[in-house]
Amino acid sequence: MANESRRKFIRHTLLGMAALPLGMGILSQRAFAQTLTPLDPENPQAKGLNYVKVAEEAAGHPAYTAGEHCASCALFQEANNGCQLFPQNTVEPKGWCQVWAKKP
């Protein structure tokens, strides 16, 4: 009997440890989203990529096409309004930058 209990304990422990990275990823993404600061359009990288908070303000940029905005970009992270280009910040869902890429 003691061996069966030990086996169950080990099996449950291993299953729990295997699921831990998934759970931590979900929790940390939510916690991390709360610590992100909004991207300042005056940030040197943002300026270099012509980031604007309102996509229509980029209408004069040759790379801009009407209807493009951060929320429809492949680099946008909906869970935290993040962007892969600016991992320390949130971006405006209605914003835009010249790296905009259509979601697959």
Side-chain angles (χ1 to χ4, degrees):
M1 266 310 183
N3 282 341
E4 184 63 34
S5 294
R6 187 177 314 144
R7 285 186 191 129
K8 251 186 205 178
F9 172 77
I10 291 172
R11 184 173 354 143
H12 289 152
T13 300
L14 291 174
L15 287 173
M17 289 175 60
L20 188 60
L22 175 63
M24 289 302 291
I26 291 169
L27 290 175
S28 66
Q29 185 178 28
R30 288 185 183 149
F32 185 62
Q34 295 173 356
T35 63
L36 295 177
T37 57
L39 180 62
D40 181 357
E42 295 301 313
N43 170 301
Q45 183 182 359
K47 281 186 104 164
L49 297 175
N50 295 298
Y51 171 76
V52 291
K53 289 184 173 185
V54 179
E56 290 77 20
E57 292 176 10
H61 193 280
Y64 176 75
T65 301
E68 295 177 350
H69 50 83
C70 292
S72 65
C73 178
L75 302 174
F76 183 72
Q77 299 167 329
E78 195 172 318
N80 61 4
N81 282 352
C83 175
Q84 293 175 24
L85 297 174
F86 308 104
Q88 304 301 317
N89 303 101
T90 60
V91 295
E92 290 294 323
K94 296 294 182 187
W96 179 88
C97 85
Q98 70 185 36
V99 184
W100 183 91
K102 184 177 181 178
K103 286 185 179 182

